[in-house]
Short mmCIF file of all heavy atoms in Angstrom, two decimals:
data_model
loop_
_atom_site.label_atom_id
_atom_site.label_comp_id
_atom_site.label_asym_id
_atom_site.label_seq_id
_atom_site.Cartn_x
_atom_site.Cartn_y
_atom_site.Cartn_z
N ARG H 144 -18.33 -29.02 -43.75
CA ARG H 144 -18.31 -30.32 -44.45
C ARG H 144 -17.35 -30.42 -45.62
O ARG H 144 -17.39 -31.38 -46.35
CB ARG H 144 -19.73 -30.63 -44.97
CG ARG H 144 -20.70 -30.90 -43.86
CD ARG H 144 -22.08 -31.23 -44.37
NE ARG H 144 -22.99 -31.32 -43.25
CZ ARG H 144 -23.20 -32.43 -42.54
NH1 ARG H 144 -22.57 -33.54 -42.85
NH2 ARG H 144 -24.03 -32.41 -41.52
N GLY H 157 1.07 -28.18 -35.55
CA GLY H 157 -0.14 -28.11 -36.37
C GLY H 157 0.10 -27.33 -37.65
O GLY H 157 -0.28 -27.76 -38.75
N ILE H 175 -7.57 -25.85 -39.83
CA ILE H 175 -6.98 -25.96 -38.48
C ILE H 175 -7.97 -25.34 -37.50
O ILE H 175 -8.41 -24.20 -37.68
CB ILE H 175 -5.63 -25.22 -38.38
CG1 ILE H 175 -4.64 -25.76 -39.42
CG2 ILE H 175 -5.05 -25.36 -36.98
CD1 ILE H 175 -3.24 -25.15 -39.34
N GLY H 184 -0.68 -22.47 -26.20
CA GLY H 184 -0.07 -23.65 -25.59
C GLY H 184 1.37 -23.31 -25.24
O GLY H 184 1.63 -22.61 -24.25
N PHE H 192 14.99 -21.36 -27.89
CA PHE H 192 16.31 -21.98 -27.99
C PHE H 192 16.29 -22.96 -29.16
O PHE H 192 15.38 -23.78 -29.26
CB PHE H 192 16.63 -22.78 -26.71
CG PHE H 192 17.08 -21.95 -25.55
CD1 PHE H 192 16.55 -20.70 -25.31
CD2 PHE H 192 18.05 -22.44 -24.67
CE1 PHE H 192 16.96 -19.94 -24.22
CE2 PHE H 192 18.47 -21.69 -23.59
CZ PHE H 192 17.93 -20.44 -23.35
N ALA H 193 17.29 -22.87 -30.02
CA ALA H 193 17.43 -23.83 -31.11
C ALA H 193 18.55 -24.79 -30.70
O ALA H 193 19.66 -24.72 -31.19
CB ALA H 193 17.75 -23.11 -32.41
N LYS H 207 19.35 -42.97 -18.06
CA LYS H 207 17.98 -43.45 -17.84
C LYS H 207 17.51 -44.39 -18.96
O LYS H 207 16.93 -45.44 -18.70
CB LYS H 207 17.04 -42.24 -17.75
CG LYS H 207 15.66 -42.60 -17.29
CD LYS H 207 14.84 -41.38 -16.91
CE LYS H 207 13.40 -41.81 -16.66
NZ LYS H 207 12.43 -41.00 -17.35
N GLY H 209 19.46 -45.23 -22.02
CA GLY H 209 20.48 -45.90 -22.85
C GLY H 209 20.97 -45.00 -23.98
O GLY H 209 20.34 -44.00 -24.33
N ASP H 215 19.01 -41.15 -30.63
CA ASP H 215 17.86 -41.00 -31.54
C ASP H 215 17.22 -39.63 -31.35
O ASP H 215 16.86 -38.95 -32.30
CB ASP H 215 16.78 -42.05 -31.24
CG ASP H 215 17.15 -43.39 -31.85
OD1 ASP H 215 18.12 -43.44 -32.63
OD2 ASP H 215 16.47 -44.39 -31.51
N ASP H 233 16.10 -18.00 -42.25
CA ASP H 233 16.73 -17.56 -41.00
C ASP H 233 16.33 -16.14 -40.62
O ASP H 233 16.03 -15.85 -39.46
CB ASP H 233 18.27 -17.61 -41.14
CG ASP H 233 18.81 -19.02 -40.97
OD1 ASP H 233 18.02 -19.93 -40.63
OD2 ASP H 233 20.02 -19.22 -41.19
N GLU H 253 29.48 -31.99 -8.86
CA GLU H 253 29.44 -33.38 -9.33
C GLU H 253 29.10 -33.43 -10.83
O GLU H 253 29.76 -34.14 -11.61
CB GLU H 253 28.37 -34.15 -8.55
CG GLU H 253 28.69 -35.61 -8.38
CD GLU H 253 27.64 -36.29 -7.52
OE1 GLU H 253 27.44 -35.86 -6.36
OE2 GLU H 253 27.00 -37.22 -8.04
N THR H 273 27.16 -33.49 -36.36
CA THR H 273 27.44 -32.06 -36.54
C THR H 273 28.60 -31.82 -37.51
O THR H 273 28.76 -30.71 -38.02
CB THR H 273 27.81 -31.38 -35.21
OG1 THR H 273 29.03 -31.98 -34.72
CG2 THR H 273 26.71 -31.55 -34.17
N LEU H 311 8.80 -16.21 -35.72
CA LEU H 311 8.61 -17.54 -36.32
C LEU H 311 7.13 -17.89 -36.40
O LEU H 311 6.63 -18.30 -37.45
CB LEU H 311 9.36 -18.59 -35.48
CG LEU H 311 8.96 -20.06 -35.70
CD1 LEU H 311 9.29 -20.52 -37.11
CD2 LEU H 311 9.66 -20.97 -34.68
N ILE H 326 -7.41 -21.27 -40.98
CA ILE H 326 -7.23 -21.42 -39.52
C ILE H 326 -8.41 -20.73 -38.85
O ILE H 326 -8.64 -19.54 -39.07
CB ILE H 326 -5.92 -20.77 -39.03
CG1 ILE H 326 -4.72 -21.33 -39.79
CG2 ILE H 326 -5.75 -21.00 -37.52
CD1 ILE H 326 -3.38 -20.68 -39.43
N GLY H 346 -21.06 -27.74 -32.32
CA GLY H 346 -20.81 -27.66 -33.77
C GLY H 346 -19.94 -28.82 -34.22
O GLY H 346 -18.99 -29.19 -33.52
N ALA H 350 -14.21 -34.54 -41.73
CA ALA H 350 -13.06 -34.66 -42.64
C ALA H 350 -12.67 -36.13 -42.76
O ALA H 350 -12.91 -36.92 -41.84
CB ALA H 350 -11.87 -33.87 -42.10
N THR H 356 -2.87 -32.19 -32.78
CA THR H 356 -1.55 -31.64 -32.39
C THR H 356 -1.75 -30.71 -31.19
O THR H 356 -1.35 -29.55 -31.21
CB THR H 356 -0.88 -30.88 -33.56
OG1 THR H 356 -1.70 -29.76 -33.92
CG2 THR H 356 -0.68 -31.77 -34.77
N ASP H 381 13.15 -5.57 -18.56
CA ASP H 381 13.15 -4.40 -19.42
C ASP H 381 14.55 -4.30 -20.05
O ASP H 381 15.48 -4.98 -19.58
CB ASP H 381 12.84 -3.14 -18.58
CG ASP H 381 11.35 -3.10 -18.20
OD1 ASP H 381 10.52 -3.51 -19.03
OD2 ASP H 381 11.04 -2.68 -17.07
N TYR H 398 17.15 -27.19 -16.03
CA TYR H 398 15.90 -26.75 -15.41
C TYR H 398 15.76 -25.22 -15.43
O TYR H 398 14.68 -24.69 -15.23
CB TYR H 398 15.76 -27.29 -13.99
CG TYR H 398 15.31 -28.73 -14.01
CD1 TYR H 398 16.14 -29.75 -13.57
CD2 TYR H 398 14.06 -29.07 -14.53
CE1 TYR H 398 15.73 -31.07 -13.62
CE2 TYR H 398 13.64 -30.39 -14.59
CZ TYR H 398 14.48 -31.38 -14.13
OH TYR H 398 14.06 -32.68 -14.20
N THR H 423 0.48 -29.11 -14.54
CA THR H 423 -0.84 -28.50 -14.67
C THR H 423 -0.99 -27.84 -16.04
O THR H 423 0.01 -27.46 -16.66
CB THR H 423 -1.03 -27.44 -13.56
OG1 THR H 423 -2.26 -26.76 -13.77
CG2 THR H 423 0.09 -26.40 -13.56
N GLN H 433 8.77 -17.60 -9.57
CA GLN H 433 9.16 -16.26 -10.02
C GLN H 433 10.22 -15.65 -9.10
O GLN H 433 11.15 -14.99 -9.56
CB GLN H 433 7.92 -15.35 -10.11
CG GLN H 433 6.97 -15.74 -11.25
CD GLN H 433 7.55 -15.50 -12.65
OE1 GLN H 433 8.18 -14.48 -12.90
NE2 GLN H 433 7.36 -16.45 -13.54
N ALA H 461 4.55 -30.76 -22.69
CA ALA H 461 3.98 -32.11 -22.53
C ALA H 461 5.10 -33.12 -22.33
O ALA H 461 6.07 -33.14 -23.10
CB ALA H 461 3.18 -32.47 -23.77
N GLY H 463 6.10 -37.35 -20.65
CA GLY H 463 5.57 -38.70 -20.45
C GLY H 463 6.68 -39.59 -19.94
O GLY H 463 7.78 -39.10 -19.62
N GLU H 472 -1.39 -43.46 -35.36
CA GLU H 472 -2.80 -43.45 -35.75
C GLU H 472 -3.56 -44.09 -34.58
O GLU H 472 -3.34 -45.26 -34.27
CB GLU H 472 -3.01 -44.25 -37.04
CG GLU H 472 -4.41 -44.13 -37.60
CD GLU H 472 -4.58 -44.90 -38.92
OE1 GLU H 472 -3.75 -45.77 -39.22
OE2 GLU H 472 -5.57 -44.62 -39.63
#
Side-chain angles (χ1 to χ4, degrees):
R144 292 181 187 273
I175 303 184
F192 281 36
K207 190 167 172 229
D215 281 350
D233 281 353
E253 211 176 302
T273 64
L311 163 64
I326 305 176
T356 62
D381 286 323
Y398 281 114
T423 175
Q433 291 292 318
E472 187 178 18

